Short mmCIF file of all heavy atoms in Angstrom, two decimals:
data_model
loop_
_atom_site.label_atom_id
_atom_site.label_comp_id
_atom_site.label_asym_id
_atom_site.label_seq_id
_atom_site.Cartn_x
_atom_site.Cartn_y
_atom_site.Cartn_z
N GLY A 830 -4.34 14.18 -7.18
CA GLY A 830 -3.38 13.10 -7.50
C GLY A 830 -3.90 11.76 -6.99
O GLY A 830 -4.84 11.70 -6.15
N MET A 831 -3.27 10.74 -7.46
CA MET A 831 -3.66 9.37 -7.09
C MET A 831 -2.38 8.56 -6.85
O MET A 831 -1.43 8.65 -7.61
CB MET A 831 -4.48 8.67 -8.21
CG MET A 831 -5.02 7.32 -7.74
SD MET A 831 -5.90 6.50 -9.10
CE MET A 831 -4.60 5.44 -9.76
N SER A 832 -2.48 7.81 -5.78
CA SER A 832 -1.36 6.84 -5.45
C SER A 832 -1.90 5.40 -5.50
O SER A 832 -3.11 5.24 -5.22
CB SER A 832 -0.76 7.16 -4.09
OG SER A 832 -0.09 8.39 -4.15
N LEU A 833 -1.04 4.49 -5.81
CA LEU A 833 -1.39 3.08 -5.94
C LEU A 833 -1.13 2.24 -4.74
O LEU A 833 -0.05 2.26 -4.25
CB LEU A 833 -0.69 2.48 -7.15
CG LEU A 833 -0.75 3.28 -8.44
CD1 LEU A 833 0.05 2.54 -9.54
CD2 LEU A 833 -2.23 3.38 -8.93
N LEU A 834 -2.13 1.53 -4.27
CA LEU A 834 -1.97 0.52 -3.21
C LEU A 834 -1.81 -0.77 -4.01
O LEU A 834 -2.69 -1.21 -4.72
CB LEU A 834 -3.25 0.49 -2.31
CG LEU A 834 -3.19 -0.59 -1.23
CD1 LEU A 834 -2.27 -0.14 -0.10
CD2 LEU A 834 -4.61 -0.90 -0.71
N ARG A 835 -0.61 -1.42 -3.83
CA ARG A 835 -0.29 -2.57 -4.61
C ARG A 835 0.07 -3.75 -3.72
O ARG A 835 0.44 -3.54 -2.58
CB ARG A 835 0.92 -2.31 -5.55
CG ARG A 835 0.80 -1.13 -6.44
CD ARG A 835 0.39 -1.41 -7.91
NE ARG A 835 0.33 -2.72 -8.44
CZ ARG A 835 1.04 -3.11 -9.49
NH1 ARG A 835 1.93 -2.29 -10.07
NH2 ARG A 835 0.91 -4.31 -9.99
N LYS A 836 0.03 -4.93 -4.30
CA LYS A 836 0.49 -6.12 -3.59
C LYS A 836 2.00 -5.99 -3.47
O LYS A 836 2.69 -5.32 -4.21
CB LYS A 836 0.14 -7.35 -4.45
CG LYS A 836 -1.31 -7.57 -4.54
CD LYS A 836 -1.64 -8.74 -5.43
CE LYS A 836 -3.12 -8.92 -5.51
NZ LYS A 836 -3.62 -9.12 -6.83
N LYS A 837 2.50 -6.64 -2.38
CA LYS A 837 3.91 -6.59 -2.02
C LYS A 837 4.80 -6.96 -3.21
O LYS A 837 4.54 -7.88 -3.95
CB LYS A 837 4.20 -7.53 -0.87
CG LYS A 837 5.68 -7.40 -0.37
CD LYS A 837 5.88 -8.09 0.91
CE LYS A 837 7.29 -8.00 1.40
NZ LYS A 837 7.78 -6.70 1.63
N GLY A 838 5.82 -6.13 -3.42
CA GLY A 838 6.80 -6.41 -4.45
C GLY A 838 6.49 -5.81 -5.83
O GLY A 838 7.27 -6.03 -6.77
N LYS A 839 5.44 -5.11 -5.98
CA LYS A 839 5.02 -4.56 -7.27
C LYS A 839 5.38 -3.09 -7.47
O LYS A 839 5.32 -2.60 -8.58
CB LYS A 839 3.46 -4.66 -7.46
CG LYS A 839 2.97 -6.10 -7.41
CD LYS A 839 3.42 -6.84 -8.60
CE LYS A 839 2.82 -8.23 -8.57
NZ LYS A 839 3.25 -9.05 -9.74
N LEU A 840 5.72 -2.39 -6.39
CA LEU A 840 6.11 -0.95 -6.55
C LEU A 840 7.63 -0.82 -6.63
O LEU A 840 8.39 -1.48 -5.89
CB LEU A 840 5.57 -0.13 -5.39
CG LEU A 840 4.00 -0.02 -5.31
CD1 LEU A 840 3.59 0.59 -4.00
CD2 LEU A 840 3.56 0.84 -6.48
N PRO A 841 8.17 0.08 -7.48
CA PRO A 841 9.58 0.13 -7.75
C PRO A 841 10.38 0.95 -6.79
O PRO A 841 11.61 0.77 -6.72
CB PRO A 841 9.60 0.76 -9.14
CG PRO A 841 8.47 1.64 -9.19
CD PRO A 841 7.36 0.89 -8.46
N PHE A 842 9.78 1.82 -5.97
CA PHE A 842 10.50 2.72 -5.09
C PHE A 842 10.37 2.19 -3.69
O PHE A 842 9.73 1.19 -3.40
CB PHE A 842 9.95 4.14 -5.25
CG PHE A 842 10.70 5.20 -4.49
CD1 PHE A 842 12.02 5.45 -4.85
CD2 PHE A 842 10.09 5.98 -3.57
CE1 PHE A 842 12.73 6.44 -4.18
CE2 PHE A 842 10.75 6.98 -2.96
CZ PHE A 842 12.09 7.24 -3.22
N LYS A 843 10.97 2.91 -2.70
CA LYS A 843 10.89 2.52 -1.31
C LYS A 843 9.41 2.55 -0.86
O LYS A 843 8.65 3.43 -1.23
CB LYS A 843 11.62 3.47 -0.44
CG LYS A 843 13.18 3.45 -0.69
CD LYS A 843 13.85 4.56 0.09
CE LYS A 843 15.30 4.66 -0.38
NZ LYS A 843 15.92 5.86 0.20
N THR A 844 9.07 1.54 -0.06
CA THR A 844 7.64 1.39 0.33
C THR A 844 7.48 1.16 1.84
O THR A 844 8.43 0.90 2.55
CB THR A 844 7.07 0.12 -0.35
OG1 THR A 844 7.78 -1.02 0.07
CG2 THR A 844 7.10 0.25 -1.83
N VAL A 845 6.25 1.35 2.28
CA VAL A 845 5.80 0.86 3.59
C VAL A 845 4.79 -0.25 3.30
O VAL A 845 4.09 -0.19 2.29
CB VAL A 845 5.15 1.95 4.48
CG1 VAL A 845 6.22 2.96 4.86
CG2 VAL A 845 4.04 2.68 3.73
N SER A 846 4.76 -1.24 4.12
CA SER A 846 3.86 -2.36 3.87
C SER A 846 3.05 -2.71 5.10
O SER A 846 3.37 -2.34 6.24
CB SER A 846 4.68 -3.60 3.41
OG SER A 846 5.52 -4.06 4.49
N GLN A 847 1.95 -3.37 4.80
CA GLN A 847 1.03 -3.82 5.86
C GLN A 847 0.43 -5.16 5.46
O GLN A 847 -0.06 -5.31 4.39
CB GLN A 847 -0.15 -2.76 6.03
CG GLN A 847 -1.13 -3.11 7.07
CD GLN A 847 -0.56 -3.00 8.51
OE1 GLN A 847 0.18 -2.07 8.80
NE2 GLN A 847 -0.78 -4.02 9.30
N SER A 848 0.52 -6.09 6.35
CA SER A 848 -0.11 -7.41 6.11
C SER A 848 -1.48 -7.45 6.70
O SER A 848 -1.82 -6.65 7.60
CB SER A 848 0.75 -8.56 6.74
OG SER A 848 0.87 -8.44 8.11
N TYR A 849 -2.31 -8.34 6.21
CA TYR A 849 -3.65 -8.47 6.70
C TYR A 849 -4.12 -9.92 6.48
O TYR A 849 -3.52 -10.63 5.64
CB TYR A 849 -4.62 -7.52 6.07
CG TYR A 849 -4.79 -7.62 4.55
CD1 TYR A 849 -5.86 -8.27 3.97
CD2 TYR A 849 -3.84 -7.07 3.66
CE1 TYR A 849 -6.05 -8.40 2.62
CE2 TYR A 849 -4.02 -7.16 2.30
CZ TYR A 849 -5.10 -7.83 1.74
OH TYR A 849 -5.20 -7.92 0.42
N GLU A 850 -5.14 -10.35 7.22
CA GLU A 850 -5.62 -11.72 7.15
C GLU A 850 -6.59 -11.93 5.98
O GLU A 850 -7.45 -11.08 5.74
CB GLU A 850 -6.40 -12.08 8.48
CG GLU A 850 -5.55 -11.98 9.72
CD GLU A 850 -4.44 -13.04 9.76
OE1 GLU A 850 -4.72 -14.21 9.38
OE2 GLU A 850 -3.31 -12.72 10.16
N LEU A 851 -6.40 -13.03 5.37
CA LEU A 851 -7.40 -13.54 4.37
C LEU A 851 -8.16 -14.68 4.98
O LEU A 851 -7.83 -15.16 6.04
CB LEU A 851 -6.62 -14.02 3.09
CG LEU A 851 -5.82 -12.93 2.35
CD1 LEU A 851 -4.93 -13.61 1.29
CD2 LEU A 851 -6.77 -11.96 1.68
N GLU A 852 -9.14 -15.20 4.22
CA GLU A 852 -9.90 -16.31 4.68
C GLU A 852 -8.98 -17.46 4.97
O GLU A 852 -9.11 -18.18 6.00
CB GLU A 852 -10.95 -16.70 3.65
CG GLU A 852 -11.92 -17.70 4.18
CD GLU A 852 -13.09 -17.95 3.22
OE1 GLU A 852 -13.15 -17.26 2.21
OE2 GLU A 852 -13.87 -18.85 3.49
N TYR A 853 -7.96 -17.73 4.13
CA TYR A 853 -7.02 -18.75 4.28
C TYR A 853 -5.63 -18.27 4.12
O TYR A 853 -5.10 -18.32 3.03
CB TYR A 853 -7.25 -19.92 3.27
CG TYR A 853 -8.63 -20.54 3.40
CD1 TYR A 853 -9.62 -20.19 2.51
CD2 TYR A 853 -8.94 -21.40 4.42
CE1 TYR A 853 -10.87 -20.79 2.56
CE2 TYR A 853 -10.19 -21.96 4.52
CZ TYR A 853 -11.17 -21.63 3.57
OH TYR A 853 -12.40 -22.18 3.70
N GLY A 854 -5.11 -17.60 5.13
CA GLY A 854 -3.70 -17.11 5.05
C GLY A 854 -3.63 -15.58 5.24
O GLY A 854 -4.52 -14.99 5.83
N THR A 855 -2.57 -15.03 4.72
CA THR A 855 -2.36 -13.59 4.83
C THR A 855 -1.90 -12.97 3.48
O THR A 855 -1.54 -13.75 2.55
CB THR A 855 -1.23 -13.24 5.85
OG1 THR A 855 -0.01 -13.89 5.42
CG2 THR A 855 -1.56 -13.73 7.22
N ALA A 856 -2.06 -11.71 3.36
CA ALA A 856 -1.57 -10.98 2.20
C ALA A 856 -0.87 -9.73 2.74
O ALA A 856 -1.01 -9.35 3.88
CB ALA A 856 -2.74 -10.63 1.29
N GLU A 857 -0.16 -9.05 1.79
CA GLU A 857 0.51 -7.86 2.17
C GLU A 857 0.37 -6.78 1.02
O GLU A 857 0.51 -7.15 -0.14
CB GLU A 857 2.01 -8.15 2.44
CG GLU A 857 2.71 -7.08 3.22
CD GLU A 857 4.07 -7.62 3.73
OE1 GLU A 857 4.31 -8.84 3.66
OE2 GLU A 857 4.84 -6.76 4.24
N VAL A 858 0.11 -5.56 1.45
CA VAL A 858 -0.01 -4.45 0.46
C VAL A 858 1.01 -3.38 0.83
O VAL A 858 1.48 -3.29 1.99
CB VAL A 858 -1.45 -3.88 0.39
CG1 VAL A 858 -2.36 -4.88 -0.24
CG2 VAL A 858 -1.95 -3.45 1.75
N GLU A 859 1.34 -2.51 -0.21
CA GLU A 859 2.32 -1.50 -0.01
C GLU A 859 1.86 -0.22 -0.66
O GLU A 859 1.13 -0.21 -1.62
CB GLU A 859 3.62 -1.90 -0.68
CG GLU A 859 4.29 -3.15 -0.05
CD GLU A 859 5.56 -3.53 -0.77
OE1 GLU A 859 5.67 -3.44 -2.05
OE2 GLU A 859 6.50 -3.91 -0.04
N LEU A 860 2.48 0.87 -0.11
CA LEU A 860 2.42 2.18 -0.76
C LEU A 860 3.86 2.69 -0.85
O LEU A 860 4.68 2.35 0.00
CB LEU A 860 1.63 3.18 0.12
CG LEU A 860 0.11 3.08 0.20
CD1 LEU A 860 -0.44 4.03 1.25
CD2 LEU A 860 -0.47 3.45 -1.17
N HIS A 861 4.16 3.50 -1.83
CA HIS A 861 5.42 4.25 -1.83
C HIS A 861 5.53 5.16 -0.62
O HIS A 861 4.48 5.69 -0.17
CB HIS A 861 5.56 5.12 -3.11
CG HIS A 861 5.98 4.34 -4.30
ND1 HIS A 861 5.42 4.64 -5.57
CD2 HIS A 861 6.87 3.34 -4.48
CE1 HIS A 861 6.00 3.79 -6.43
NE2 HIS A 861 6.89 2.98 -5.80
N ILE A 862 6.73 5.32 -0.12
CA ILE A 862 6.89 6.15 1.14
C ILE A 862 6.48 7.56 0.86
O ILE A 862 6.20 8.31 1.81
CB ILE A 862 8.28 6.03 1.72
CG1 ILE A 862 9.34 6.52 0.70
CG2 ILE A 862 8.59 4.59 2.17
CD1 ILE A 862 10.72 6.70 1.27
N ASP A 863 6.51 8.02 -0.39
CA ASP A 863 6.14 9.42 -0.70
C ASP A 863 4.73 9.53 -1.28
O ASP A 863 4.41 10.57 -1.90
CB ASP A 863 7.16 10.03 -1.63
CG ASP A 863 7.32 9.27 -2.91
OD1 ASP A 863 6.66 8.24 -3.16
OD2 ASP A 863 8.07 9.81 -3.79
N ALA A 864 3.91 8.45 -1.16
CA ALA A 864 2.57 8.47 -1.70
C ALA A 864 1.71 9.50 -1.03
O ALA A 864 0.77 10.05 -1.64
CB ALA A 864 1.90 7.08 -1.56
N ILE A 865 1.96 9.80 0.22
CA ILE A 865 1.14 10.76 1.02
C ILE A 865 2.16 11.54 1.85
O ILE A 865 3.04 11.01 2.47
CB ILE A 865 0.20 9.95 1.95
CG1 ILE A 865 -0.74 9.16 1.19
CG2 ILE A 865 -0.51 10.92 2.88
CD1 ILE A 865 -1.29 7.98 1.91
N LYS A 866 1.87 12.81 1.91
CA LYS A 866 2.67 13.71 2.75
C LYS A 866 1.94 13.84 4.11
O LYS A 866 0.67 13.86 4.15
CB LYS A 866 2.83 15.13 2.12
CG LYS A 866 3.68 15.09 0.87
CD LYS A 866 3.61 16.41 0.12
CE LYS A 866 4.38 16.35 -1.19
NZ LYS A 866 3.88 15.44 -2.19
N PRO A 867 2.66 14.00 5.21
CA PRO A 867 2.01 14.15 6.50
C PRO A 867 0.93 15.29 6.46
O PRO A 867 1.19 16.37 5.88
CB PRO A 867 3.13 14.53 7.44
CG PRO A 867 4.37 13.86 6.81
CD PRO A 867 4.12 14.04 5.31
N GLY A 868 -0.21 14.97 7.05
CA GLY A 868 -1.29 15.93 7.11
C GLY A 868 -2.26 15.87 5.90
O GLY A 868 -3.36 16.48 5.99
N GLN A 869 -1.92 15.13 4.85
CA GLN A 869 -2.83 15.10 3.72
C GLN A 869 -4.12 14.29 4.02
O GLN A 869 -4.01 13.27 4.75
CB GLN A 869 -2.12 14.49 2.46
CG GLN A 869 -1.18 15.51 1.80
CD GLN A 869 -0.68 14.96 0.51
OE1 GLN A 869 -0.28 13.79 0.37
NE2 GLN A 869 -0.73 15.81 -0.48
N LYS A 870 -5.19 14.70 3.51
CA LYS A 870 -6.47 14.08 3.59
C LYS A 870 -6.63 13.11 2.42
O LYS A 870 -6.38 13.49 1.30
CB LYS A 870 -7.61 15.03 3.66
CG LYS A 870 -7.53 15.90 4.93
CD LYS A 870 -8.67 16.91 4.97
CE LYS A 870 -8.59 17.84 6.11
NZ LYS A 870 -8.42 17.30 7.39
N VAL A 871 -7.08 11.88 2.69
CA VAL A 871 -7.06 10.83 1.72
C VAL A 871 -8.44 10.19 1.58
O VAL A 871 -9.13 9.95 2.58
CB VAL A 871 -6.07 9.69 2.14
CG1 VAL A 871 -6.10 8.50 1.18
CG2 VAL A 871 -4.64 10.32 2.24
N ILE A 872 -8.83 9.92 0.33
CA ILE A 872 -9.95 9.04 0.04
C ILE A 872 -9.46 7.74 -0.53
O ILE A 872 -8.63 7.80 -1.49
CB ILE A 872 -10.95 9.77 -0.90
CG1 ILE A 872 -11.67 10.91 -0.19
CG2 ILE A 872 -11.92 8.73 -1.46
CD1 ILE A 872 -12.70 11.64 -1.03
N ILE A 873 -9.88 6.64 -0.01
CA ILE A 873 -9.50 5.34 -0.52
C ILE A 873 -10.61 4.83 -1.40
O ILE A 873 -11.84 4.88 -1.02
CB ILE A 873 -9.26 4.36 0.63
CG1 ILE A 873 -8.09 4.85 1.49
CG2 ILE A 873 -8.99 2.95 0.09
CD1 ILE A 873 -7.87 4.00 2.71
N VAL A 874 -10.29 4.37 -2.62
CA VAL A 874 -11.26 3.89 -3.63
C VAL A 874 -10.93 2.49 -3.96
O VAL A 874 -9.79 2.17 -4.29
CB VAL A 874 -11.23 4.83 -4.88
CG1 VAL A 874 -12.15 4.28 -5.95
CG2 VAL A 874 -11.59 6.24 -4.51
#
């Protein structure tokens, strides 16, 4: 399966978010709270 890492505000269900630094400012990305189950092994692409 595949889950989407999206910019803040683009996913329709409950999310967890993380901000990070850009060259000039910050950005924030989100995953659905059910994108990954505890213990699952993940590859980021």
Side-chain angles (χ1 to χ4, degrees):
M831 185 182 96
S832 291
L833 307 178
L834 179 76
R835 304 263 347 240
K836 295 175 180 134
K837 185 170 178 62
K839 299 291 185 180
L840 291 171
F842 188 60
K843 296 175 190 168
T844 62
V845 291
S846 64
Q847 180 68 45
S848 62
Y849 63 99
E850 298 293 320
L851 297 168
E852 190 173 353
Y853 301 103
T855 61
E857 198 166 349
V858 290
E859 296 180 321
L860 285 172
H861 279 141
I862 61 169
D863 60 356
I865 299 156
K866 294 173 183 63
Q869 284 189 313
K870 296 182 184 308
V871 175
I872 289 182
I873 298 173
V874 174

